[in-house]
Amino acid sequence: MTLPAELSPQNWTTHLFSAKAAREGGVVRRKIRDIERYVGLEEFLTELNRRGFHAVENAGQLVIFCNQEPIRLVTGPIFSKKSKRSL
């Protein structure tokens, strides 16, 4: 997907949430520097809240969860439900 010619805050936000991963309820990642440059961090966080989405920050990146599911920070090994390993 190409960027729109005019990168107004609204166009940038629309472009971000039009990405396939975002439309399908997945995860997108953006540099905080870019969010601040194109939209403004406070305005962007307001839009996330309006949509009911969550995000986490790490190393200058914002990982945006484009769904309303809860987020759980995991610090240990994870085994899928299909895994036969026991904890």
Side-chain angles (χ1 to χ4, degrees), residues 4-19:
E6 172 66 29
L7 280 178
S8 69
Q10 181 61 43
N11 284 348
W12 190 89
T13 303
T14 299
H15 180 46
L16 171 70
F17 292 117
S18 296

Side-chain angles (χ1 to χ4, degrees), residues 72-80 85 87:
R72 183 174 59 128
L73 182 60
V74 180
T75 59
I78 301 174
F79 301 108
S80 71
R85 298 179 189 179
L87 298 173

Side-chain angles (χ1 to χ4, degrees), residues 45-56:
L45 295 176
T46 298
E47 180 63 18
L48 280 184
N49 287 332
R50 187 186 73 76
R51 293 172 182 259
F53 294 170
H54 306 284
V56 296

